[in-house]
Amino acid sequence: MNSTTKRILLVEDEKNIREAVTAYLEKEGYWVTAVEDGKDAIDEFGKHDFDTIILDLMLPKVSGEKVCKVIRDTSDVPIIMLTAKGEIEDRIIGLELGADDYLVKPFSPRELVARVRALLRRANSDREPLREAMEYGELTIDMSGHKVLVNGEEVDLTASEFKLLATLSRYPGRVYSRMELVEKVLGYDFEGYERTIDSHVKNLRAKLGDNPRDPKWLHTVHGVGYRFEDPSKGERG
């Protein structure tokens, strides 16, 4: 594997799906480590640096939810969650655990490859300097360093959460619709997209300590979307 090859951890207990997805990913030039249960997933994650993780929700030994939590304790690597459950609430659970995207079974391996490609593009662009660090009261957003601090303490954000915060804070006071945020942050559209953005905002508020009933930074514009405010300058409109 050369230094530019992207490494993917695939965690899927169904052999036919695991083999089909592996074949499609390897055809695209990715290096794939495929395992069939949650325990092996955690073991492999501890041994190697992965660029993307494809994680089934229903796994033997250790659940996909638990695996996701373990990964998110130490890493913001992009995670695509696979689930046989089609209900919106089940999908939202995965996103609230820290997954960046989800696919409901049955799915097209080609669509999964496209999602992987989109996540890798986003992850790479997140590492590119956007502008200098910006301060909004107790909140510091270091675009080039890809760090966020509240009262001097670093906050652990996923790649999607950082991209969302960076997008909103770039133009304080500007209102972004959910569709705009999907396009700018996620780069694609899928069923339930409004709830996806809502989940990322909810996670951001919790991590930043931003009270949704009396927010400092992340404001809901009912019926439209969200806007970011600089509390040192007062709320606009």
Side-chain angles (χ1 to χ4, degrees):
M1 182 175 66
N2 64 51
S3 60
T4 62
T5 301
K6 299 299 183 182
R7 187 162 196 159
I8 296 173
L9 175 60
L10 170 62
V11 191
E12 169 58 62
D13 64 323
E14 295 185 47
K15 182 179 179 181
N16 59 331
I17 296 177
R18 189 169 64 250
E19 292 179 348
V21 170
T22 297
Y24 269 87
L25 290 169
E26 289 181 342
K27 184 179 179 181
E28 293 294 317
Y30 298 116
W31 181 280
V32 181
T33 299
V35 297
E36 63 183 31
D37 64 62
K39 181 181 181 302
D40 286 347
I42 293 172
D43 289 344
E44 288 297 325
F45 176 74
K47 295 176 184 176
H48 307 286
D49 291 327
F50 292 98
D51 297 287
T52 302
I53 295 175
I54 302 169
L55 177 64
D56 189 14
L57 193 62
M58 307 286 287
L59 292 171
K61 296 186 180 179
V62 179
S63 70
E65 293 98 324
K66 176 63 176 177
V67 174
C68 190
K69 289 178 182 178
V70 170
I71 292 170
R72 279 292 171 256
D73 282 344
T74 59
S75 173
D76 65 355
V77 60
I79 298 174
I80 301 177
M81 192 163 280
L82 307 178
T83 174
K85 301 177 182 179
E87 295 298 322
I88 291 292
E89 289 303 320
D90 292 320
R91 306 179 205 182
I92 296 305
I93 289 171
L95 295 168
E96 290 182 342
L97 287 170
D100 297 276
D101 192 9
Y102 62 82
L103 272 178
V104 178
K105 297 177 182 179
F107 58 84
S108 162
R110 285 191 296 177
E111 180 181 3
L112 178 56
V113 171
R115 297 287 183 97
V116 168
R117 194 179 297 118
L119 279 178
L120 289 170
R121 280 200 305 266
R122 281 167 46 207
N124 289 336
S125 66
D126 286 344
R127 297 187 185 104
E128 295 173 1
L130 298 174
R131 61 176 176 173
E132 297 299 320
M134 304 299 292
E135 294 186 2
Y136 304 101
E138 307 96 87
L139 174 67
T140 300
I141 305 172
D142 182 351
M143 301 293 191
S144 59
H146 202 269
K147 294 191 297 185
V148 172
L149 300 92
V150 176
N151 290 318
E153 295 292 325
E154 187 169 353
V155 180
D156 185 24
L157 301 182
T158 67
S160 295
E161 290 163 357
F162 183 87
K163 188 73 174 288
L164 176 59
L165 183 60
T167 297
L168 285 167
S169 65
R170 196 166 296 128
Y171 300 102
R174 174 179 170 178
V175 177
Y176 288 87
S177 70
R178 289 174 174 83
M179 178 63 80
E180 282 183 287
L181 292 172
V182 166
E183 293 173 351
K184 292 178 179 294
V185 176
L186 303 180
Y188 46 79
D189 192 6
F190 54 90
E191 184 181 357
Y193 67 88
E194 290 192 2
R195 296 295 300 276
T196 301
I197 290 298
D198 291 346
S199 292
H200 286 314
V201 171
K202 178 182 176 182
N203 290 344
L204 259 179
R205 283 171 168 162
K207 292 181 178 182
L208 298 178
D210 200 13
N211 185 351
R213 295 184 179 181
D214 184 23
K216 293 179 181 179
W217 303 294
L218 300 173
H219 293 249
T220 300
V221 181
H222 294 289
V224 182
Y226 297 95
R227 74 173 185 271
F228 181 92
E229 291 292 348
D230 182 351
S232 66
K233 296 182 179 179
E235 184 177 334
R236 301 172 177 84

